[in-house]
Amino acid sequence: SWIYQIDNSGHWTRLSKISPSDSLVLDHILFDESNPKRLVVGAWRLDRPDGGIFISTDGGSKWKSVPDMQGQSVRALAQAPSNPKIFIAGTLKGVYRSEDGGLHWTLISPPGSMELHEIESIAIDPVNPQIIYAGTWHLPWKTADGGKTWQNIKQGLIVDSDVFSIIIDPHMPSTVYASACSGIYK
């Protein structure tokens, strides 16, 4: 649950603890593209579904928990390259979207979905923030309308593959890569 900073000489300094709990895993730390002093962190717990999103506005010294995401096991976090106010988070329950820099969040995947949950990876199209890819513990998904509708994009993928990461080519957004337990896909 600690945040560290490295200086030019390669020395790490512990900045702060984002939560009283020592059980949080901090997988995703993003610098807000619109403000370099603003950091956004997604967190989850190893021993039970818990975590959240935390924001610092002073470069990492002080952190505040985002109420809308308290208790959410945040496994993936991304900021839209074309609009720094848009953030997408993947949780055990589904995909969430913020349009105000991470302060407020809305579930954009079907509530209670038996298929689009356990999100491990997120990618946002570099030009159109309505196009979002979500990798789950079993298959990848895509929305082209900001989450109103989702389609499974499993053709060619070994079924039941955990999708650990999804990366979009910034120069050719129609090219997407995914890593899964069964290999790397394009």
Side-chain angles (χ1 to χ4, degrees), residues 64-186:
K64 289 186 181 179
S65 176
V66 175
D68 289 353
M69 297 300 281
Q70 282 182 347
Q72 289 287 347
S73 185
V74 180
R75 304 299 180 104
L77 185 63
Q79 184 178 29
S82 62
N83 183 343
K85 294 230 177 259
I86 296 176
F87 284 82
I88 304 295
T91 74
L92 293 180
K93 291 183 179 178
V95 181
Y96 287 80
R97 179 185 187 104
S98 172
E99 295 186 359
D100 62 2
L103 299 176
H104 300 93
W105 294 81
T106 304
L107 181 67
I108 62 169
S109 57
S113 173
M114 296 305 290
E115 294 185 351
L116 190 50
H117 61 96
E118 297 169 337
I119 310 300
E120 184 73 23
S121 55
I122 290 287
I124 306 169
D125 184 280
V127 177
N128 181 354
Q130 298 298 308
I131 299 173
I132 303 162
Y133 296 86
T136 70
W137 289 355
H138 42 283
L139 290 171
W141 293 81
K142 178 184 178 181
T143 180
D145 56 15
K148 292 181 184 110
T149 60
W150 290 85
Q151 68 180 41
N152 186 291
I153 52 173
K154 64 182 178 180
Q155 187 174 354
L157 197 74
I158 293 175
V159 177
D160 209 26
S161 289
D162 295 355
V163 182
F164 301 119
S165 66
I166 299 176
I167 299 171
I168 302 170
D169 184 329
H171 303 292
M172 191 174 297
S174 61
T175 302
V176 179
Y177 295 90
S179 70
C181 58
S182 58
I184 297 175
Y185 296 88
K186 180 179 178 184

Side-chain angles (χ1 to χ4, degrees), residues 5-43:
Q5 179 180 27
I6 191 167
D7 61 22
N8 292 337
S9 66
H11 181 263
W12 287 94
T13 303
R14 187 161 53 182
L15 289 180
S16 64
K17 190 173 183 178
I18 69 164
S19 167
S21 170
D22 284 327
S23 301
L24 291 179
V25 176
L26 310 178
D27 268 348
H28 301 278
I29 302 173
L30 300 177
F31 278 100
D32 186 333
E33 293 294 325
S34 63
N35 178 355
K37 287 263 186 208
R38 192 168 187 271
L39 298 151
V40 181
V41 170

